[in-house]
Amino acid sequence: MTRGASSPGDIRDAPAYTFAAAARHLGMPPATLRSWVLGRIYRRGGEVVETEPLIRAPAGSRSPISFNTLVEAHVLRAIRTKDGVRMGAVRKAIAYAEESLGIDRLLLSDELRTSGQDIFLDRLRELITLTKSGQLAMKQMLLAYLKRVDRDDEALPLRLYPLRPAWSEDRKPIVIDPRVSFGRPTVAGSGISTVALVDRVDAGEDLETLARDYSLSIGQIEDAVFYERAA
């Protein structure tokens, strides 16, 4: 097995999410996620241009996103938040770092926090106009997103704590765990689906009743509502 890859049959690589669901979980446009996973076809100067994917979908499935793909997209968001970072340059920098380190999937690898990050960012800086300060800012953003991924004993992604506006990097109220609630977002430590809570709020139930029924705090229910509605 190549370093940075999970074992065959691992639930983390099993088809689990549609583009719409995965994009909602990550708080990003579905069209952007689709282009990262499937590539793009567009016109430039009268010619048809086709770009290769940045991350991979589970093979032969109608559900194009696995948990691992979700993690890769989460990490990629940190890189693409910087203005002027072209997808083609990112693709080349990822491929270069994977070849240098012998890693199959850099965006899943824990080495992206150490030597892999330096190799990737140095190569990216060579490919685009990125100042030293811009590189430092991207490094800090990347580290913040990587901290939201829990890993197992083999340093492979185990849980993802998705990010929402106004949440600091240390706030992790919502978790996505492929072994819990079929991989749906849940309130951390409870296994209770955020969608289930929001549905009951929308049905008119008050927060005190929900907190009592689920043994949650009102703050936890408010976090679930904010997570779902801020997407």
Side-chain angles (χ1 to χ4, degrees):
M1 181 176 65
T2 307
R3 288 193 304 140
S6 52
S7 302
D10 194 315
I11 190 174
R12 290 169 289 193
D13 268 325
Y17 312 98
T18 63
F19 279 117
R24 186 175 68 254
H25 296 341
L26 295 175
M28 64 183 294
T32 299
L33 180 59
R34 181 181 292 271
S35 72
W36 289 356
V37 176
L38 300 180
R40 287 179 60 204
I41 299 177
Y42 62 97
R43 288 190 174 275
R44 184 176 62 195
E47 295 183 354
V48 176
V49 178
E50 183 174 356
T51 64
E52 294 295 322
L54 281 158
I55 51 184
R56 70 186 63 180
S61 169
R62 293 181 180 179
S63 297
I65 306 295
S66 67
F67 172 75
N68 277 342
T69 312
L70 199 71
V71 172
E72 288 175 298
H74 164 81
V75 175
L76 188 56
R77 282 192 69 199
I79 299 166
R80 292 285 289 166
T81 52
K82 178 75 173 62
D83 291 339
V85 178
R86 301 185 308 276
M87 189 162 64
V90 172
R91 185 185 302 104
K92 290 177 181 178
I94 289 173
Y96 178 82
E98 287 175 344
E99 183 177 356
S100 298
L101 296 166
I103 291 175
D104 184 45
R105 300 168 77 173
L106 177 71
L107 297 176
L108 287 182
S109 174
D110 195 38
E111 291 192 45
L112 195 52
R113 293 196 300 174
T114 54
S115 58
Q117 180 182 127
D118 293 334
I119 293 171
F120 167 77
L121 289 177
D122 285 345
R123 181 57 178 156
L124 186 62
R125 188 163 61 88
E126 294 174 358
L127 295 169
I128 66 174
T129 303
L130 186 63
T131 63
K132 281 288 188 180
S133 61
Q135 186 176 4
L136 179 60
M138 185 178 290
K139 182 174 184 176
Q140 293 303 312
M141 179 69 73
L142 187 54
L143 285 173
Y145 273 69
L146 289 170
K147 286 179 180 179
R148 304 189 74 84
V149 180
D150 280 352
R151 296 179 179 272
D152 61 17
D153 292 339
E154 296 181 348
L156 295 172
L158 187 64
R159 302 178 197 89
L160 170 64
Y161 297 89
L163 190 60
R164 284 292 184 267
W167 286 354
S168 69
E169 64 182 69
D170 296 324
R171 284 212 67 210
K172 299 177 178 178
I174 307 301
V175 63
I176 298 175
D177 186 327
R179 304 162 302 169
V180 177
S181 191
F182 301 100
R184 293 188 293 262
T186 61
V187 176
S190 74
I192 298 167
S193 165
T194 54
V195 169
L197 292 171
V198 170
D199 285 347
R200 290 186 63 175
V201 170
D202 286 344
E205 298 192 51
D206 62 82
L207 300 189
E208 290 79 6
T209 298
L210 292 178
R212 184 170 57 254
D213 286 352
Y214 289 109
S215 299
L216 297 173
S217 69
I218 290 177
Q220 286 175 302
I221 296 172
E222 290 174 337
D223 283 333
V225 172
F226 180 73
Y227 169 77
E228 287 292 336
R229 294 303 178 231

